[in-house]
Amino acid sequence: MKSKNKLPKLSPILSDWMPKLMKDKMLLDTLFGDWGSPLNVHYLPEFDKNIQKFRKVFENHRIPYQLFYAHKANKSKSVVNRAKENRIGVDTASERELLQALEVGVSPELLVITAAIKTEKLLQMAVENNVLVILDNQDECDLLNSIAQKTDKQTPVGFRVSGFYTDTGKLYSRFGFDIDEVESFIVTTCSPKGKYSHLTYKGLHFHLNGYSTEERGAALSQCFFLAEKLKTQGFTSQFIDIGGGVLINYLKSKNEWEIFREELKKAVKGEREEITFNNDGLGYQLIDNQIQGALATYPFFNEENDDIFLEKILNFRYKNKASVSELLRNKNIEIRLEPGRSLLNQVGITLARVAFRKKDMKGRWLVGLEMSMSQLKSSSADFLLDPLTAFVPAPNHPVEVYFTGAYCLEQDIVLKRRITLPNLPQIGDIVGFVNTAGYMIHFFETQAHLFHLSVNLSIATSKESYQYQDFNNF
Ligand SMILES: Cc1ncc(COP(=O)(O)O)c(C=O)c1O
């Protein structure tokens, strides 16, 4: 028998600026009047705080370091500018990202190109501006060397490494050179008389899928041992870049997270009413009356995130020997971290206007938003978090709703979770998704039906309120 229990809550962590903005009706009216829906609003002092947290960890460990903001995580120019003001580097993944960072005035020594596909034009820009290129394969080496040769310039390069050894075997990645082969490749090709005489070896790089600190610790240790071997052959590593992928925590309560997962399983089993659109299991499946599979979402609640995550990598002991931190101390190798998502934690929210309310055939309230599913999409099966609302609740009129989007697809359900709102919103009311503008919206957003990409704005604090600061799309 299906019971109708209350919907579980997933309360997001909120920085002070977020609820304040949601209460500032005048500012919201101005922003929507000027720019339409949806809007990404950023508050950049949070970015500065995130930088400080990572800095502190490296400094406590007395390890030379540099942070590189992974630009791909957010399209806005003002975040790149903020990286420059904080004197950190910028990791670029395309011609336009590199161009934007150069235009903003980031110094070429603080730039790196890690693009998965490196066009001839991008590599030409790298050679002209003396920007470090992280090489992934031999074809890239051929192309970059030939471009550098034409202008007789030496180009700084690093090598992306993969195939690291872990307790569960060798780690697969489609990226990079295998750790077992890269040493002889560098030594034979990058010497003055080698095939790539115009490439100057500077260091090693990796970026791992997933969120394991143990795998990152093992990869960093193996890169360190590789750097030691390369040194004996005349190749000094100035840096080891450990990529990004630092976990962040979105939720206030572990209890809510656990209850949500239990209630979702109950719903999939048919023991309670649905809590997701059409009872989507978000990875859980009912097979032979048993729940199978795993929740296919980001681990929205987790305890080893941000600075603790980095701390765990540095304290990791590969094969139970010296810790990463002990290995690296006094070694004169700069450790580079390339965070995207984690530098943008608490930096942005996405706001959308309510276009309509209606009941569907099954009697469920659908609230149409002026945005599309692509704007909250990621590799996670749903964004899940409770949204913020910018309207005064009428007491005792709670209502359960689904938010639907602007695409012609039945599947355009902006949040798959069923949400309890204090009351049914009015047309024109504003709903806010916490922590998505910093990161999420910039990845899978599409322009189907000729909709514009969402606008990116920054706000700044004045004496009593927040003020719109700049429009910083690209
Ligand atoms: C090479 C590289 N560096 C850094 C990042 C940033 O990762 P994150 O945003 O998870 O920190 C990525 C993301 O895909 C990447 O591919």
Side-chain angles (χ1 to χ4, degrees), residues 299-332:
F300 285 100
F301 181 87
N302 58 75
E303 281 162 331
E304 289 177 352
N305 49 67
D306 287 329
D307 45 347
I308 305 171
F309 189 94
L310 177 58
E311 188 71 45
K312 285 207 75 179
I313 298 174
L314 298 180
N315 289 332
F316 179 79
R317 291 175 186 277
Y318 181 54
K319 296 192 170 166
N320 293 324
K321 294 198 176 130
S323 73
V324 167
S325 174
E326 287 156 2
L327 283 177
L328 292 170
R329 213 162 294 149
N330 306 320
K331 284 298 185 315
N332 220 12

mmCIF file of all heavy atoms in Angstrom, residues 299-332:
data_model
loop_
_atom_site.group_PDB
_atom_site.id
_atom_site.type_symbol
_atom_site.label_atom_id
_atom_site.label_comp_id
_atom_site.label_asym_id
_atom_site.label_seq_id
_atom_site.Cartn_x
_atom_site.Cartn_y
_atom_site.Cartn_z
ATOM 1 N N PRO A 299 27.627 13.176 -5.283
ATOM 2 C CA PRO A 299 27.437 12.945 -3.850
ATOM 3 C C PRO A 299 27.168 14.284 -3.141
ATOM 4 O O PRO A 299 28.065 14.855 -2.518
ATOM 5 C CB PRO A 299 28.779 12.326 -3.410
ATOM 6 C CG PRO A 299 29.767 12.775 -4.435
ATOM 7 C CD PRO A 299 29.032 13.014 -5.704
ATOM 8 N N PHE A 300 25.939 14.774 -3.264
ATOM 9 C CA PHE A 300 25.663 16.157 -2.829
ATOM 10 C C PHE A 300 25.986 16.391 -1.356
ATOM 11 O O PHE A 300 26.357 17.482 -0.978
ATOM 12 C CB PHE A 300 24.207 16.534 -3.135
ATOM 13 C CG PHE A 300 23.979 16.789 -4.598
ATOM 14 C CD1 PHE A 300 23.414 15.827 -5.410
ATOM 15 C CD2 PHE A 300 24.378 17.983 -5.176
ATOM 16 C CE1 PHE A 300 23.228 16.046 -6.767
ATOM 17 C CE2 PHE A 300 24.206 18.220 -6.535
ATOM 18 C CZ PHE A 300 23.627 17.248 -7.329
ATOM 19 N N PHE A 301 25.849 15.331 -0.522
ATOM 20 C CA PHE A 301 26.361 15.472 0.845
ATOM 21 C C PHE A 301 27.624 14.630 0.960
ATOM 22 O O PHE A 301 27.642 13.454 0.602
ATOM 23 C CB PHE A 301 25.346 15.001 1.904
ATOM 24 C CG PHE A 301 25.909 15.177 3.281
ATOM 25 C CD1 PHE A 301 25.773 16.383 3.948
ATOM 26 C CD2 PHE A 301 26.661 14.177 3.886
ATOM 27 C CE1 PHE A 301 26.358 16.586 5.185
ATOM 28 C CE2 PHE A 301 27.242 14.370 5.124
ATOM 29 C CZ PHE A 301 27.088 15.585 5.778
ATOM 30 N N ASN A 302 28.686 15.214 1.467
ATOM 31 C CA ASN A 302 29.931 14.465 1.714
ATOM 32 C C ASN A 302 30.737 15.228 2.747
ATOM 33 O O ASN A 302 30.522 16.433 2.948
ATOM 34 C CB ASN A 302 30.714 14.293 0.415
ATOM 35 C CG ASN A 302 31.037 15.619 -0.191
ATOM 36 O OD1 ASN A 302 31.905 16.333 0.278
ATOM 37 N ND2 ASN A 302 30.280 16.006 -1.221
ATOM 38 N N GLU A 303 31.642 14.519 3.406
ATOM 39 C CA GLU A 303 32.353 15.157 4.522
ATOM 40 C C GLU A 303 33.818 15.469 4.236
ATOM 41 O O GLU A 303 34.456 16.186 4.979
ATOM 42 C CB GLU A 303 32.222 14.273 5.771
ATOM 43 C CG GLU A 303 30.851 14.485 6.402
ATOM 44 C CD GLU A 303 30.431 13.391 7.366
ATOM 45 O OE1 GLU A 303 30.864 12.229 7.185
ATOM 46 O OE2 GLU A 303 29.669 13.707 8.283
ATOM 47 N N GLU A 304 34.348 14.911 3.149
ATOM 48 C CA GLU A 304 35.771 15.171 2.866
ATOM 49 C C GLU A 304 35.874 16.014 1.614
ATOM 50 O O GLU A 304 36.104 15.501 0.521
ATOM 51 C CB GLU A 304 36.517 13.849 2.722
ATOM 52 C CG GLU A 304 36.638 13.197 4.074
ATOM 53 C CD GLU A 304 37.309 11.847 4.047
ATOM 54 O OE1 GLU A 304 37.554 11.319 2.956
ATOM 55 O OE2 GLU A 304 37.564 11.340 5.147
ATOM 56 N N ASN A 305 35.640 17.299 1.789
ATOM 57 C CA ASN A 305 35.565 18.179 0.634
ATOM 58 C C ASN A 305 36.502 19.365 0.785
ATOM 59 O O ASN A 305 37.135 19.538 1.810
ATOM 60 C CB ASN A 305 34.119 18.674 0.480
ATOM 61 C CG ASN A 305 33.595 19.180 1.808
ATOM 62 O OD1 ASN A 305 34.063 20.189 2.317
ATOM 63 N ND2 ASN A 305 32.662 18.444 2.402
ATOM 64 N N ASP A 306 36.611 20.182 -0.256
ATOM 65 C CA ASP A 306 37.393 21.425 -0.259
ATOM 66 C C ASP A 306 38.804 21.230 0.293
ATOM 67 O O ASP A 306 39.525 20.364 -0.152
ATOM 68 C CB ASP A 306 36.650 22.518 0.534
ATOM 69 C CG ASP A 306 35.441 23.037 -0.224
ATOM 70 O OD1 ASP A 306 35.485 23.050 -1.461
ATOM 71 O OD2 ASP A 306 34.456 23.423 0.415
ATOM 72 N N ASP A 307 39.157 22.021 1.336
ATOM 73 C CA ASP A 307 40.525 21.961 1.862
ATOM 74 C C ASP A 307 40.839 20.598 2.493
ATOM 75 O O ASP A 307 41.980 20.123 2.429
ATOM 76 C CB ASP A 307 40.781 23.115 2.844
ATOM 77 C CG ASP A 307 39.649 23.310 3.826
ATOM 78 O OD1 ASP A 307 38.552 22.744 3.619
ATOM 79 O OD2 ASP A 307 39.850 24.022 4.817
ATOM 80 N N ILE A 308 39.801 19.938 3.058
ATOM 81 C CA ILE A 308 40.051 18.621 3.684
ATOM 82 C C ILE A 308 40.460 17.613 2.600
ATOM 83 O O ILE A 308 41.320 16.752 2.802
ATOM 84 C CB ILE A 308 38.782 18.098 4.411
ATOM 85 C CG1 ILE A 308 38.295 19.130 5.415
ATOM 86 C CG2 ILE A 308 39.022 16.750 5.079
ATOM 87 C CD1 ILE A 308 36.939 18.806 6.023
ATOM 88 N N PHE A 309 39.851 17.747 1.437
ATOM 89 C CA PHE A 309 40.141 16.868 0.292
ATOM 90 C C PHE A 309 41.627 17.003 -0.093
ATOM 91 O O PHE A 309 42.341 16.014 -0.260
ATOM 92 C CB PHE A 309 39.231 17.292 -0.859
ATOM 93 C CG PHE A 309 39.206 16.385 -2.059
ATOM 94 C CD1 PHE A 309 38.247 15.391 -2.179
ATOM 95 C CD2 PHE A 309 40.117 16.550 -3.106
ATOM 96 C CE1 PHE A 309 38.186 14.570 -3.310
ATOM 97 C CE2 PHE A 309 40.074 15.737 -4.232
ATOM 98 C CZ PHE A 309 39.113 14.743 -4.342
ATOM 99 N N LEU A 310 42.082 18.254 -0.198
ATOM 100 C CA LEU A 310 43.492 18.492 -0.555
ATOM 101 C C LEU A 310 44.421 17.966 0.541
ATOM 102 O O LEU A 310 45.446 17.335 0.270
ATOM 103 C CB LEU A 310 43.710 20.002 -0.788
ATOM 104 C CG LEU A 310 45.133 20.436 -1.107
ATOM 105 C CD1 LEU A 310 45.666 19.739 -2.359
ATOM 106 C CD2 LEU A 310 45.205 21.961 -1.311
ATOM 107 N N GLU A 311 44.008 18.226 1.781
ATOM 108 C CA GLU A 311 44.787 17.755 2.934
ATOM 109 C C GLU A 311 44.966 16.223 2.846
ATOM 110 O O GLU A 311 46.056 15.694 3.074
ATOM 111 C CB GLU A 311 43.986 18.136 4.196
ATOM 112 C CG GLU A 311 44.655 17.920 5.517
ATOM 113 C CD GLU A 311 45.798 18.883 5.793
ATOM 114 O OE1 GLU A 311 45.644 20.093 5.560
ATOM 115 O OE2 GLU A 311 46.855 18.399 6.244
ATOM 116 N N LYS A 312 43.901 15.529 2.506
ATOM 117 C CA LYS A 312 43.967 14.058 2.419
ATOM 118 C C LYS A 312 44.920 13.596 1.308
ATOM 119 O O LYS A 312 45.630 12.608 1.461
ATOM 120 C CB LYS A 312 42.564 13.477 2.174
ATOM 121 C CG LYS A 312 41.705 13.519 3.422
ATOM 122 C CD LYS A 312 40.653 12.448 3.425
ATOM 123 C CE LYS A 312 41.261 11.096 3.715
ATOM 124 N NZ LYS A 312 40.316 9.997 3.752
ATOM 125 N N ILE A 313 44.943 14.320 0.207
ATOM 126 C CA ILE A 313 45.879 13.950 -0.877
ATOM 127 C C ILE A 313 47.317 14.110 -0.368
ATOM 128 O O ILE A 313 48.160 13.232 -0.556
ATOM 129 C CB ILE A 313 45.674 14.847 -2.132
ATOM 130 C CG1 ILE A 313 44.276 14.659 -2.704
ATOM 131 C CG2 ILE A 313 46.747 14.559 -3.188
ATOM 132 C CD1 ILE A 313 43.928 15.614 -3.846
ATOM 133 N N LEU A 314 47.575 15.222 0.302
ATOM 134 C CA LEU A 314 48.955 15.499 0.731
ATOM 135 C C LEU A 314 49.401 14.561 1.855
ATOM 136 O O LEU A 314 50.594 14.310 2.029
ATOM 137 C CB LEU A 314 49.097 16.961 1.153
ATOM 138 C CG LEU A 314 48.832 17.981 0.029
ATOM 139 C CD1 LEU A 314 48.998 19.402 0.549
ATOM 140 C CD2 LEU A 314 49.761 17.760 -1.171
ATOM 141 N N ASN A 315 48.437 14.058 2.619
ATOM 142 C CA ASN A 315 48.797 13.138 3.717
ATOM 143 C C ASN A 315 48.806 11.678 3.270
ATOM 144 O O ASN A 315 49.114 10.790 4.065
ATOM 145 C CB ASN A 315 47.808 13.285 4.881
ATOM 146 C CG ASN A 315 48.014 14.609 5.594
ATOM 147 O OD1 ASN A 315 49.118 15.154 5.593
ATOM 148 N ND2 ASN A 315 46.962 15.162 6.172
ATOM 149 N N PHE A 316 48.455 11.428 2.024
ATOM 150 C CA PHE A 316 48.365 10.037 1.553
ATOM 151 C C PHE A 316 49.754 9.385 1.529
ATOM 152 O O PHE A 316 50.742 10.005 1.139
ATOM 153 C CB PHE A 316 47.770 10.017 0.132
ATOM 154 C CG PHE A 316 47.668 8.638 -0.440
ATOM 155 C CD1 PHE A 316 46.636 7.790 -0.058
ATOM 156 C CD2 PHE A 316 48.625 8.161 -1.344
ATOM 157 C CE1 PHE A 316 46.555 6.497 -0.573
ATOM 158 C CE2 PHE A 316 48.548 6.877 -1.859
ATOM 159 C CZ PHE A 316 47.508 6.043 -1.472
ATOM 160 N N ARG A 317 49.800 8.121 1.961
ATOM 161 C CA ARG A 317 51.078 7.378 1.962
ATOM 162 C C ARG A 317 51.004 6.274 0.926
ATOM 163 O O ARG A 317 50.302 5.282 1.132
ATOM 164 C CB ARG A 317 51.346 6.755 3.338
ATOM 165 C CG ARG A 317 51.648 7.792 4.377
ATOM 166 C CD ARG A 317 51.804 7.209 5.770
ATOM 167 N NE ARG A 317 51.957 8.316 6.702
ATOM 168 C CZ ARG A 317 53.104 8.937 6.942
ATOM 169 N NH1 ARG A 317 54.211 8.523 6.358
ATOM 170 N NH2 ARG A 317 53.161 9.965 7.763
ATOM 171 N N TYR A 318 51.728 6.453 -0.154
ATOM 172 C CA TYR A 318 51.731 5.444 -1.213
ATOM 173 C C TYR A 318 52.529 4.235 -0.727
ATOM 174 O O TYR A 318 53.648 4.379 -0.256
ATOM 175 C CB TYR A 318 52.350 6.056 -2.475
ATOM 176 C CG TYR A 318 52.395 5.127 -3.656
ATOM 177 C CD1 TYR A 318 51.252 4.485 -4.122
ATOM 178 C CD2 TYR A 318 53.596 4.901 -4.337
ATOM 179 C CE1 TYR A 318 51.300 3.633 -5.216
ATOM 180 C CE2 TYR A 318 53.654 4.057 -5.436
ATOM 181 C CZ TYR A 318 52.496 3.420 -5.864
ATOM 182 O OH TYR A 318 52.546 2.575 -6.948
ATOM 183 N N LYS A 319 51.925 3.062 -0.815
ATOM 184 C CA LYS A 319 52.518 1.803 -0.318
ATOM 185 C C LYS A 319 52.936 1.922 1.148
ATOM 186 O O LYS A 319 53.982 1.381 1.562
ATOM 187 C CB LYS A 319 53.702 1.393 -1.180
ATOM 188 C CG LYS A 319 53.288 1.083 -2.615
ATOM 189 C CD LYS A 319 54.375 0.398 -3.391
ATOM 190 C CE LYS A 319 53.831 -0.094 -4.721
ATOM 191 N NZ LYS A 319 54.837 -0.482 -5.673
ATOM 192 N N ASN A 320 52.168 2.713 1.896
ATOM 193 C CA ASN A 320 52.412 2.928 3.329
ATOM 194 C C ASN A 320 53.783 3.487 3.655
ATOM 195 O O ASN A 320 54.292 3.310 4.760
ATOM 196 C CB ASN A 320 52.195 1.627 4.108
ATOM 197 C CG ASN A 320 50.745 1.225 4.078
ATOM 198 O OD1 ASN A 320 49.873 2.107 4.118
ATOM 199 N ND2 ASN A 320 50.496 -0.069 3.965
ATOM 200 N N LYS A 321 54.414 4.148 2.703
ATOM 201 C CA LYS A 321 55.743 4.753 2.984
ATOM 202 C C LYS A 321 55.568 6.244 3.276
ATOM 203 O O LYS A 321 54.584 6.624 3.876
ATOM 204 C CB LYS A 321 56.667 4.467 1.814
ATOM 205 C CG LYS A 321 56.955 2.968 1.689
ATOM 206 C CD LYS A 321 58.177 2.733 0.856
ATOM 207 C CE LYS A 321 58.464 1.225 0.842
ATOM 208 N NZ LYS A 321 58.656 0.744 -0.499
ATOM 209 N N ALA A 322 56.512 7.063 2.814
ATOM 210 C CA ALA A 322 56.450 8.500 3.142
ATOM 211 C C ALA A 322 55.170 9.121 2.570
ATOM 212 O O ALA A 322 54.689 8.703 1.513
ATOM 213 C CB ALA A 322 57.661 9.186 2.538
ATOM 214 N N SER A 323 54.630 10.111 3.292
ATOM 215 C CA SER A 323 53.436 10.797 2.781
ATOM 216 C C SER A 323 53.830 11.651 1.574
ATOM 217 O O SER A 323 55.004 12.007 1.397
ATOM 218 C CB SER A 323 52.807 11.659 3.859
ATOM 219 O OG SER A 323 53.614 12.796 4.076
ATOM 220 N N VAL A 324 52.826 12.005 0.779
ATOM 221 C CA VAL A 324 53.063 12.878 -0.373
ATOM 222 C C VAL A 324 53.763 14.154 0.086
ATOM 223 O O VAL A 324 54.724 14.623 -0.517
ATOM 224 C CB VAL A 324 51.710 13.198 -1.053
ATOM 225 C CG1 VAL A 324 51.837 14.331 -2.038
ATOM 226 C CG2 VAL A 324 51.142 11.950 -1.722
ATOM 227 N N SER A 325 53.259 14.691 1.199
ATOM 228 C CA SER A 325 53.819 15.934 1.724
ATOM 229 C C SER A 325 55.306 15.772 2.082
ATOM 230 O O SER A 325 56.137 16.622 1.746
ATOM 231 C CB SER A 325 52.998 16.326 2.947
ATOM 232 O OG SER A 325 53.532 17.414 3.573
ATOM 233 N N GLU A 326 55.638 14.656 2.728
ATOM 234 C CA GLU A 326 57.052 14.416 3.080
ATOM 235 C C GLU A 326 57.908 14.236 1.824
ATOM 236 O O GLU A 326 59.030 14.743 1.748
ATOM 237 C CB GLU A 326 57.176 13.163 3.964
ATOM 238 C CG GLU A 326 56.677 13.385 5.384
ATOM 239 C CD GLU A 326 56.248 12.098 6.101
ATOM 240 O OE1 GLU A 326 56.366 10.998 5.515
ATOM 241 O OE2 GLU A 326 55.779 12.209 7.238
ATOM 242 N N LEU A 327 57.354 13.543 0.835
ATOM 243 C CA LEU A 327 58.112 13.336 -0.410
ATOM 244 C C LEU A 327 58.461 14.670 -1.070
ATOM 245 O O LEU A 327 59.543 14.841 -1.625
ATOM 246 C CB LEU A 327 57.274 12.534 -1.428
ATOM 247 C CG LEU A 327 57.122 11.040 -1.240
ATOM 248 C CD1 LEU A 327 56.191 10.469 -2.328
ATOM 249 C CD2 LEU A 327 58.474 10.344 -1.321
ATOM 250 N N LEU A 328 57.505 15.599 -1.005
ATOM 251 C CA LEU A 328 57.648 16.820 -1.802
ATOM 252 C C LEU A 328 58.419 17.938 -1.102
ATOM 253 O O LEU A 328 58.912 18.853 -1.754
ATOM 254 C CB LEU A 328 56.263 17.356 -2.180
ATOM 255 C CG LEU A 328 55.474 16.483 -3.157
ATOM 256 C CD1 LEU A 328 54.043 16.968 -3.260
ATOM 257 C CD2 LEU A 328 56.133 16.495 -4.531
ATOM 258 N N ARG A 329 58.497 17.858 0.231
ATOM 259 C CA ARG A 329 59.108 18.979 0.966
ATOM 260 C C ARG A 329 60.579 19.142 0.559
ATOM 261 O O ARG A 329 61.299 18.174 0.389
ATOM 262 C CB ARG A 329 58.984 18.747 2.461
ATOM 263 C CG ARG A 329 58.831 20.060 3.187
ATOM 264 C CD ARG A 329 58.288 19.873 4.568
ATOM 265 N NE ARG A 329 56.929 19.366 4.587
ATOM 266 C CZ ARG A 329 56.457 18.584 5.574
ATOM 267 N NH1 ARG A 329 57.236 18.220 6.574
ATOM 268 N NH2 ARG A 329 55.211 18.175 5.546
ATOM 269 N N ASN A 330 60.989 20.370 0.379
ATOM 270 C CA ASN A 330 62.369 20.732 -0.007
ATOM 271 C C ASN A 330 62.802 20.155 -1.348
ATOM 272 O O ASN A 330 63.978 19.965 -1.594
ATOM 273 C CB ASN A 330 63.383 20.291 1.064
ATOM 274 C CG ASN A 330 63.015 20.837 2.416
ATOM 275 O OD1 ASN A 330 62.579 21.981 2.500
ATOM 276 N ND2 ASN A 330 63.159 20.036 3.451
ATOM 277 N N LYS A 331 61.858 19.838 -2.195
ATOM 278 C CA LYS A 331 62.238 19.214 -3.472
ATOM 279 C C LYS A 331 62.194 20.207 -4.643
ATOM 280 O O LYS A 331 62.536 19.884 -5.762
ATOM 281 C CB LYS A 331 61.318 18.021 -3.794
ATOM 282 C CG LYS A 331 61.613 16.796 -2.992
ATOM 283 C CD LYS A 331 63.010 16.288 -3.272
ATOM 284 C CE LYS A 331 63.344 14.991 -2.603
ATOM 285 N NZ LYS A 331 62.971 14.836 -1.199
ATOM 286 N N ASN A 332 61.718 21.418 -4.376
ATOM 287 C CA ASN A 332 61.702 22.421 -5.430
ATOM 288 C C ASN A 332 60.824 22.052 -6.639
ATOM 289 O O ASN A 332 61.139 22.433 -7.753
ATOM 290 C CB ASN A 332 63.147 22.674 -5.890
ATOM 291 C CG ASN A 332 63.359 24.142 -6.149
ATOM 292 O OD1 ASN A 332 62.508 24.955 -5.766
ATOM 293 N ND2 ASN A 332 64.445 24.490 -6.816
#
